[in-house]
């Protein structure tokens, strides 16, 4: 847990920072792959990122509901709660990158506040 961030995460953060500053586009890795390897691999990268985001948006409501209610919510009620949470997350993504980024900052501050209060 101490060595891995320096071997993997730190170099990846440096690469991401360098490529992010070199390409003035909000498409991130898609434009990097497209520039390096062409249109088809760039399109594949975009498609796989979209699939990954859709899968994440399907997993998080289920995990959240399981954490919050355990096995108390079952059947059609569970389906409705998970569906509403999924639709809510999809709507937040629909609002755009700036809104999602600002929301992430707010959520990070809320998540870190107990640790700040402890010290």
């Amino acid at each position: 847990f101490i060595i891995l961030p320096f071997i993997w995460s730190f170099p990846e953060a440096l690469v991401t920072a360098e490529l992010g500053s070199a390409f003035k586009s909000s498409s991130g890795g898609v434009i990097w792959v497209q520039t390096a390897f062409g249109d088809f691999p760039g399109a594949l990268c975009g498609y796989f990122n979209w699939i990954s985001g859709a899968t994440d948006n399907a997993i998080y409501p289920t995990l959240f509901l399981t954490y919050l209610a355990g096995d108390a919510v079952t059947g059609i009620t569970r389906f409705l709660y998970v569906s509403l949470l999924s639709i809510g997350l999809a709507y937040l993504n629909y609002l755009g990158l700036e809104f999602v980024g600002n929301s992430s900052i707010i959520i990070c501050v809320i998540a870190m506040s107990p640790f700040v209060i402890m010290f």
Side-chain angles (χ1 to χ4, degrees):
F1 291 114
I2 295 173
I3 298 171
L4 185 65
F6 295 104
I7 294 173
W8 178 263
S9 300
F10 186 68
E12 187 168 334
L14 290 176
V15 168
T16 303
E18 184 174 350
L19 288 172
S21 63
F23 292 90
K24 303 297 182 197
S25 173
S26 63
S27 60
V30 175
I31 193 72
W32 307 340
V33 171
Q34 184 179 14
T35 302
F37 302 110
D39 290 337
F40 183 69
L44 281 178
C45 182
Y47 177 72
F48 291 144
N49 281 336
W50 178 71
I51 291 294
S52 173
T55 304
D56 270 353
N57 278 343
I59 291 171
Y60 291 136
T62 304
L63 291 174
F64 176 72
L65 188 62
T66 302
Y67 173 76
L68 198 62
D71 292 331
V73 180
T74 59
I76 190 72
T77 308
R78 181 179 184 81
F79 173 77
L80 290 174
Y81 279 136
V82 169
S83 297
L84 287 174
L85 285 169
S86 297
I87 291 169
L89 287 174
Y91 179 70
L92 291 178
N93 280 329
Y94 176 73
L95 292 177
L97 185 62
E98 185 175 345
F99 180 79
V100 171
N102 292 336
S103 299
S104 296
I105 292 170
I106 293 168
I107 290 170
C108 180
V109 168
I110 291 169
M112 297 302 282
S113 62
F115 300 105
V116 172
I117 292 170
M118 285 189 332
F119 294 105

